[in-house]
Amino acid sequence: MTARILVVDDVAANVKLLEDRLTAEYFDVVTAPDGATALELCARAQCDIVLLDVMMPGIDGFEVCRRLKADPKTHHIPVVIITALDQPSDRVRGLEAGADDFLTKPASDVALFARVRSLARLKMLGDELRLRAQTTREIGMSDALMEAVSDTGEHGRVLLVDDRELSSARIRDALAATQSVDVEVEPHEALFRAADGDYDVAVVSLSLENFDALRLCAQIRSLERTRMLPILLIADPEQHSRVLRGLEVGVTDYLMRPIDANELVARVRTQVRRRRYTERLRANLQTSMELAITDGLTGLHNRRYMEMHLQALLDQAASRDRPLSALVVDIDFFKKVNDIHGHDAGDDVLREFSRRLKASVRGIDLAVRLGGEEFVVVMPETDGAVARIVAERIRTKTAAAPFQIRGGEATLEVTVSVGVASFLGAEDDAGALLKRADVALYRAKTDGRNRVAADAA
């Protein structure tokens, strides 16, 4: 997997060394001699991952990282701090600034490339969601990117998989002040708990007895419900090669023993933030998809959704030789409601009618607001006789009780007219079916409204 890597270092020899190593692995490399240039390049979306030195003139690496993570436009770019600083306090400072990882110079090629590829995969998975979230922000939805920037990464739910009591107790105690921790000592049960527990991060010991911890990590990645769950691996120093293998199978981050409690807390907070960020983007994507196929006023499906699915329903009915019927429903004298009582009252009528319409049809039926006061109901497995019964039910439910408008201050008598048509088989199509139902609706209106008329075909 390739990516565009931004190398930021004020020492030309260091830049050249990293550039040559990364280029040899087919990464596209961009360089910056200082923090200000790096911020400018990132703002122009010219990199996928930032490899950042700390000790630079002007803006140091910690401040560059903080600014990148505080800006919704660059918050999503993974940052790896690579520096000669090697104290636990330095790592914690980098992680608290928002860095995704902290490598000490000289970083081995194997460790560097494994980390870069792992972060590139994570970024690629999130990019589509992020772009959708930016689009939905433009139509007034909640800004998932701004929420991600302000998230502290605290009060998350952590699943700790460790079968050594002393080790699990130390990790749990270190995290207790900032996270809610559940301990699972049975690796076989951990996968089920991860799938059912709505956790923000899984912390897995690589030293599980009688079970391959990396297999558990791979299984977590393979399940749809846990595919995006961050995994933090806890390993012993001699297990470094296994850690690199873990990054290849989907481990998100790792920490070597002996564990520094502050670094553990910082790394878990980073993963909790990443999880929440992804979930916010996913929720925005789901909402945007629903907006694309749903009528905002009534909650029914819209014309676009019907056009995408009606022909498929007809094809299915034809292949199975099963009946299908369609209703076109129109609210009688709706223009007068708007003219006399105002458009707010008209909206009240549309919402209440939609509620009664949904209560009159089955879950498998496709109820659509076609536009204005016109609605369509497509009913699979329904012949003409049954469709007329349903149409009559809709008509009577509409006329049975007055509609409240203006928050209940007034009521209106509302009626509807309904046209019914049935699918004629493989030679029929969606346009012809709806045209026949529309002709039947016109006849119902010319015959006096508040009635049902069926297609004569």
Side-chain angles (χ1 to χ4, degrees):
M1 174 177 295
T2 188
R4 174 171 286 186
I5 314 297
L6 172 60
V7 177
V8 188
D9 198 317
D10 63 320
V11 178
N14 292 343
V15 172
K16 180 62 175 174
L17 178 62
L18 271 177
E19 183 177 14
D20 290 346
R21 291 161 67 187
L22 291 164
T23 302
E25 291 296 314
Y26 303 101
F27 291 106
D28 187 11
V29 180
V30 181
T31 65
D34 53 59
T37 304
L39 291 170
E40 182 182 346
L41 290 170
C42 291
R44 297 206 305 262
Q46 294 190 353
C47 65
D48 296 307
I49 297 172
V50 179
L51 302 185
L52 182 62
D53 186 32
V54 170
M55 294 176 290
M56 297 184 294
I59 309 172
D60 70 18
F62 293 133
E63 180 60 23
V64 171
C65 188
R66 272 191 290 270
R67 293 189 188 185
L68 289 174
K69 295 300 181 178
D71 187 343
K73 295 179 181 179
T74 57
H75 174 84
H76 65 285
I77 301 175
V79 177
V80 180
I81 290 178
I82 303 181
T83 177
L85 301 175
D86 60 356
Q87 296 301 306
S89 59
D90 297 319
R91 289 197 295 273
V92 171
R93 187 180 175 191
L95 293 167
E96 289 181 343
D100 295 85
D101 205 353
F102 191 107
L103 299 179
T104 301
K105 293 178 180 177
S108 73
D109 285 358
V110 175
L112 175 63
F113 299 149
R115 204 69 187 97
V116 167
R117 291 191 179 100
S118 174
L119 290 170
R121 282 194 297 269
L122 288 172
K123 182 176 183 293
M124 183 182 68
L125 290 171
D127 273 352
E128 181 63 23
L129 294 176
R130 183 181 60 83
L131 292 172
R132 295 290 184 90
Q134 288 177 323
T135 300
T136 56
R137 179 177 54 178
E138 293 170 4
I139 58 174
M141 291 183 57
S142 62
D143 191 345
L145 303 180
M146 287 303 297
E147 291 174 2
V149 168
S150 61
D151 194 332
T152 64
E154 295 184 347
H155 309 298
R157 297 196 65 219
V158 178
L159 176 63
L160 171 58
V161 186
D162 193 340
D163 53 11
R164 295 190 292 184
E165 184 176 354
L166 184 59
S167 170
S168 64
R170 287 175 176 168
I171 294 172
R172 183 186 60 230
D173 292 346
L175 295 173
T178 56
Q179 313 292 346
S180 173
V181 182
D182 293 335
V183 178
E184 177 54 64
V185 299
E186 293 291 340
H188 295 285
E189 294 296 323
L191 184 63
F192 297 102
R193 292 191 67 174
D196 296 335
D198 192 27
Y199 289 100
D200 294 298
V201 59
V203 178
V204 180
S205 170
L206 190 53
S207 302
L208 297 175
E209 294 184 10
N210 304 317
F211 197 89
D212 184 350
L214 293 187
R215 185 168 299 280
L216 173 61
C217 296
Q219 290 171 339
I220 290 173
R221 278 289 165 267
S222 68
L223 287 181
E224 182 177 354
R225 294 181 65 180
T226 56
R227 188 160 296 154
M228 300 301 291
L229 177 66
I231 302 172
L232 174 63
L233 202 61
I234 305 294
D236 295 319
E238 64 271 15
Q239 295 175 313
H240 193 261
S241 61
R242 296 272 290 159
V243 169
L244 299 180
R245 178 62 175 153
L247 292 172
E248 293 177 2
V249 302
V251 167
T252 319
D253 198 4
Y254 63 91
L255 185 59
M256 292 294 191
R257 291 188 173 96
I259 296 174
D260 178 81
N262 292 326
E263 184 175 355
L264 172 64
V265 170
R267 288 187 182 274
V268 169
R269 287 175 60 183
T270 296
Q271 299 309 318
V272 171
R273 282 197 298 265
R274 175 178 285 143
R275 166 72 167 183
R276 290 172 177 169
Y277 173 62
T278 302
E279 289 305 305
R280 288 186 184 106
L281 296 183
R282 193 182 303 280
N284 270 12
L285 174 56
Q286 180 64 32
T287 302
S288 67
M289 291 173 64
E290 291 174 358
L291 284 174
I293 62 173
T294 304
D295 175 62
L297 178 65
T298 65
L300 300 176
H301 289 302
N302 59 18
R303 178 190 288 268
R304 176 187 295 178
Y305 185 87
M306 184 188 73
E307 290 173 346
M308 289 190 300
H309 288 82
L310 179 53
Q311 189 58 52
L313 291 174
L314 298 184
D315 293 342
Q316 186 178 73
S319 65
R320 297 179 179 178
D321 194 24
R322 301 298 297 166
L324 179 145
S325 296
L327 314 178
V328 176
V329 186
D330 191 88
I331 299 176
D332 297 328
F333 303 112
F334 183 74
K335 186 176 184 299
K336 289 185 178 179
V337 175
N338 283 331
D339 291 344
I340 297 172
H341 301 281
H343 288 279
D344 288 345
D347 289 348
D348 290 338
V349 168
L350 290 170
R351 280 190 288 264
E352 175 59 19
F353 171 70
S354 298
R355 188 189 67 78
R356 299 188 191 190
L357 176 65
K358 285 188 284 188
S360 302
V361 300
R362 305 166 298 177
I364 66 168
D365 298 329
L366 176 60
V368 176
R369 183 186 177 197
L370 201 60
E373 69 273 27
E374 193 170 33
F375 298 79
V376 170
V377 180
V378 180
M379 297 179 289
E381 304 286 334
T382 305
D383 61 23
V386 174
R388 287 191 292 273
I389 294 172
V390 175
E392 185 63 26
R393 182 193 306 152
I394 294 170
R395 188 195 68 80
T396 56
K397 272 186 175 289
T398 303
F403 283 43
Q404 292 187 352
I405 60 172
R406 301 194 197 102
E409 293 180 0
T411 60
L412 291 175
E413 299 290 337
V414 177
T415 64
V416 296
S417 301
V418 187
V420 182
S422 295
F423 183 52
L424 301 179
E427 71 279 4
D428 207 357
D429 62 32
L433 173 66
L434 293 178
K435 178 65 176 177
R436 294 196 305 275
D438 200 51
V439 169
L441 169 66
Y442 180 77
R443 189 166 70 252
K445 286 187 168 293
T446 56
D447 287 348
R449 293 184 169 83
N450 189 23
R451 65 192 62 219
V452 175
D455 171 46

